[in-house]
Amino acid sequence: MAGPTTTERGTKRPAGVSSARPAGPGDPLPDGARRLRMPRPPRVLLLVAAALALVGGAVWTLYGSSWLRVEQVTVSGTRVLTPRQVEDAAAVPLGSPLASVDTDAIEDRLRRALPRIDSVDVVRSWPHAIGLEVTEREPVLVAEEGGKYIEVDAKGVRFATVDTAPREVPLLRLDTGRSPSLRRFGAERLRREAVGVVTGLPGRIARDVVSVRVRSYDSLTLELTGGRTVLWGSGEQGDAKTRALIALMKAAPKAGHFDVSAPSAPAASRS
């Protein structure tokens, strides 16, 4: 019997070797086989990348660009101080990014340099300004020292020295001498007591107060227009003493001296 032809011998494959050609990209996959694909980035990563880009752009706009920088300082609320005084003391860094301005530091500089300022709001006024909204202290008493006058506000703070006493502000006279009250309470506490008495008076009486004389913690005297005086005693029981004084003034309108140091037993006399 004749053996295989040359053609048949050339097409014979060793045992276990497939005679199929490699599958191409367009060829169908064998049963049960799955084509491998490159994974796509999850949507959350795309969202995070977009958010980071937005944040980076915002930070650059606020701090790196030339669009939102300090170009102007505005001042409001001044009465005795001038806007220029406030602006100079604030030392706002012109040209700096508005977002980076330290508003607390500006407030501290103003309080240290200008004690007349009671409070100040430092606000960013976008896109290019810093606003300084000032509230000045107002004197309720004035103390004479060395030919000048020291203004005292409603908190008992000595905040300014002036050459001329402000009009219609009572004079504070601390005539404690060697009183034990001065050693026990100190001038500041006695000053606050005097302030508390004056600020607690009704308007029609407060307008008549010329001076407040403090001899001790328990001895405050109000000197009124027309040479009238009011022995107030300590600063305690202020409401009761005020009611007693109003009643005395109505009952004895021509009296020159009123004593409300014991409000349950007030007295009035012509001298």
Side-chain angles (χ1 to χ4, degrees):
M1 184 175 180
T5 64
T6 303
T7 302
E8 290 172 341
R9 287 196 301 268
T11 59
K12 189 175 182 179
R13 298 286 188 272
V17 177
S18 174
S19 61
R21 64 178 178 82
D27 294 339
L29 295 176
D31 292 343
R34 304 178 67 181
R35 192 183 302 277
L36 296 177
R37 296 182 179 179
M38 295 299 293
R40 295 181 179 178
R43 182 175 297 179
V44 66
L45 293 181
L46 296 176
L47 293 176
V48 170
L52 290 175
L54 289 174
V55 171
V59 170
W60 180 83
T61 300
L62 288 173
Y63 296 95
S65 75
S66 60
W67 301 336
L68 303 175
R69 294 183 177 269
V70 182
E71 297 178 359
Q72 182 183 11
V73 178
T74 62
V75 179
S76 61
T78 54
R79 297 175 60 254
V80 177
L81 297 171
T82 65
R84 183 58 182 270
Q85 285 177 302
V86 175
E87 186 175 342
D88 289 346
V92 177
L94 295 176
S96 298
L98 191 58
S100 70
V101 173
D102 189 339
T103 57
D104 290 337
I106 292 174
E107 181 177 346
D108 290 342
R109 287 196 292 271
L110 285 171
R111 288 180 178 277
R112 289 196 303 268
L114 302 173
R116 184 177 290 277
I117 292 179
D118 184 26
S119 64
V120 57
D121 290 330
V122 183
V123 296
R124 294 180 177 87
S125 182
W126 301 93
H128 300 299
I130 288 289
L132 307 175
E133 301 173 1
V134 172
T135 300
E136 294 185 11
R137 300 181 189 274
E138 296 186 11
V140 297
L141 289 173
V142 60
E144 184 178 5
E145 291 186 10
K148 294 184 179 296
Y149 298 90
I150 300 174
E151 295 176 311
V152 182
D153 74 353
K155 300 174 185 177
V157 176
R158 295 156 51 105
F159 64 90
T161 301
V162 294
D163 294 329
T164 304
R167 296 181 58 186
E168 301 180 355
V169 177
L171 186 65
L172 172 63
R173 303 179 187 275
L174 288 177
D175 295 338
T176 55
R178 296 184 178 181
S179 169
S181 289
L182 185 60
R183 295 191 301 271
R184 180 179 178 184
F185 300 103
E188 183 177 353
R189 173 67 183 277
L190 297 179
R191 185 167 58 247
R192 289 202 305 267
E193 291 297 312
V195 166
V197 171
V198 171
T199 55
L201 294 172
R204 62 182 181 274
I205 297 178
R207 285 190 292 271
D208 288 342
V209 178
V210 177
S211 67
V212 181
R213 187 179 299 273
V214 182
R215 291 188 174 89
S216 69
Y217 179 83
D218 296 318
S219 180
L220 279 76
T221 300
L222 307 180
E223 298 176 350
L224 309 181
T225 57
R228 298 169 296 166
T229 59
V230 179
L231 179 58
W232 194 267
S234 71
E236 300 172 358
Q237 297 181 280
D239 291 342
K241 292 177 180 180
T242 297
R243 291 193 295 270
L245 179 59
I246 293 173
L248 283 178
M249 287 182 166
K250 289 182 178 179
K254 295 184 180 181
H257 179 70
F258 305 92
D259 185 346
V260 295
S261 57
S264 59
S269 63
R270 288 187 174 273
S271 60

